[in-house]
Amino acid sequence: MSKVIAIANQKGGVGKTTTAINLAASLAHLGQECLLIDMDPQGNTTSGLGINKNNLEKNIYNVLIDEIALEDILQGTAMDWLDIAPATIDLSGAEIDLVNIPDREKKLKFALERFQKVYKYIIIDCPPSLGLLTINSLIAADTVLIPMQCEFFALEGLGQLSKTIFALMQSYNLDLEGVLFTMFDSRTNIAGQVVEEVKKFFKEKVYETKIPRTIKFAEAPSFGKPVLIYDPSGKGTQAYVDLAKEFLTKQM
């Protein structure tokens, strides 16, 4: 059985897609067969792994709306052990198209239940909202990983975020995989304050690995590569490999 992890945060710009791409690539690098599902209509995970969205005849929209088999849309990537279920702008219409469909919140879950190929881990990149696409992702997942930016506004919204997370976990029978700090800069006081406050809420669920700020994260997607390939010896690459190792340790 695959373990399904949704990477979600209702706030945009927190490193969600960067984490989806680079955690999946790092797990693949460590020999774990992974599938990455792009559930964000922006399709940044898709293009960030070098897939030309203009050349795709089918994508995750067709799985949700037309009930095409998930196997029929999969694309390989530059990484061994890593495939992707891509998204295009078509997915932006899914929120409306799903409204009148029975069991609309469970379409991705049903697709995964019919899915024949077995991956060790399936990682879902959710949109930065709590609409039907994110709800589909959370219902299909076993656990949720929350990326959190180390800045004042993250601290300001922490109480609401914690309520949202626990409500989602209760509603969708989810476990919390963990909270991951992104864009971390140890030179700033606020970074340390955010870490301490978040640990008060989430305790042992906070990942020790912190993802640093680096321009390489912004550059790599424009080349259609995970940072592990784009900048093999960089600090961002090492951080995501460390995260993957910590993640695997938690699965034992």
Side-chain angles (χ1 to χ4, degrees):
M1 291 288 291
S2 304
K3 180 169 184 178
V4 184
I5 306 102
I7 298 183
N9 190 322
Q10 67 203 67
K11 186 177 185 296
V14 297
K16 180 181 55 61
T17 295
T18 298
T19 294
I21 291 173
N22 292 295
L23 174 58
S26 297
L27 288 169
H29 173 69
L30 295 173
Q32 307 294 318
E33 193 167 13
C34 291
L35 172 63
L36 188 50
I37 298 179
D38 192 351
M39 285 288 283
D40 190 336
Q42 296 178 89
N44 291 339
T45 295
T46 299
S47 57
L49 282 173
I51 307 298
N52 186 338
K53 291 178 284 190
N54 297 323
N55 293 340
L56 294 174
E57 294 182 6
K58 302 171 185 176
N59 64 86
I60 195 68
Y61 171 88
N62 304 103
V63 173
L64 299 173
I65 305 300
D66 303 324
E67 298 193 359
I68 287 174
L70 192 56
E71 288 94 330
D72 292 345
I73 71 162
L74 298 189
Q75 300 280 324
T77 71
M79 297 285 304
D80 292 335
W81 305 105
L82 177 59
D83 294 333
I84 184 170
T88 71
I89 194 63
D90 293 347
L91 192 57
S92 61
E95 296 274 0
I96 296 172
D97 295 339
L98 282 167
V99 167
N100 295 317
I101 296 178
D103 293 318
R104 60 192 181 213
E105 303 94 347
K106 299 179 180 178
K107 287 300 180 182
L108 183 58
K109 181 180 176 66
F110 293 155
L112 287 174
E113 287 175 350
R114 295 191 298 265
F115 192 44
Q116 297 299 309
K117 185 167 183 180
V118 178
Y119 292 86
K120 183 69 174 176
Y121 298 106
I122 297 175
I123 295 175
I124 306 172
D125 182 26
C126 301
S129 68
L130 290 177
L132 276 172
L133 293 176
T134 296
I135 291 171
N136 261 269
S137 302
L138 295 173
I139 288 177
D142 301 308
T143 64
V144 58
L145 176 65
I146 314 291
M148 181 178 291
Q149 190 174 353
C150 288
E151 61 168 25
F152 173 75
F153 293 115
L155 198 58
E156 190 177 50
L158 181 59
Q160 183 57 50
L161 178 63
S162 63
K163 290 177 185 177
T164 301
I165 291 168
F166 290 123
L168 290 171
M169 288 166 59
Q170 188 171 34
S171 298
Y172 304 123
N173 196 29
L174 271 171
D175 289 328
L176 178 60
E177 187 68 46
V179 175
L180 171 69
F181 294 115
T182 60
M183 306 178 197
F184 182 78
D185 187 346
S186 60
R187 297 170 300 177
T188 64
N189 291 331
I190 190 65
Q193 292 174 32
V194 171
V195 169
E196 291 307 311
E197 290 300 316
V198 171
K199 283 184 174 180
K200 290 178 184 177
F201 275 92
F202 298 108
K203 299 180 171 61
E204 75 281 355
K205 289 294 186 178
V206 176
Y207 271 82
E208 290 299 322
T209 303
K210 300 173 184 64
I211 307 303
R213 285 187 181 274
T214 168
I215 190 63
K216 301 299 182 182
F217 289 143
E219 294 174 353
S222 66
F223 291 88
K225 297 176 180 179
V227 72
L228 191 126
I229 293 178
Y230 178 71
D231 185 33
S233 59
K235 63 179 183 179
T237 294
Q238 187 58 56
Y240 273 110
V241 171
D242 288 345
L243 174 65
K245 290 176 179 177
E246 186 178 355
F247 170 86
L248 292 174
T249 299
K250 289 178 180 287
Q251 311 310 308
M252 296 177 181

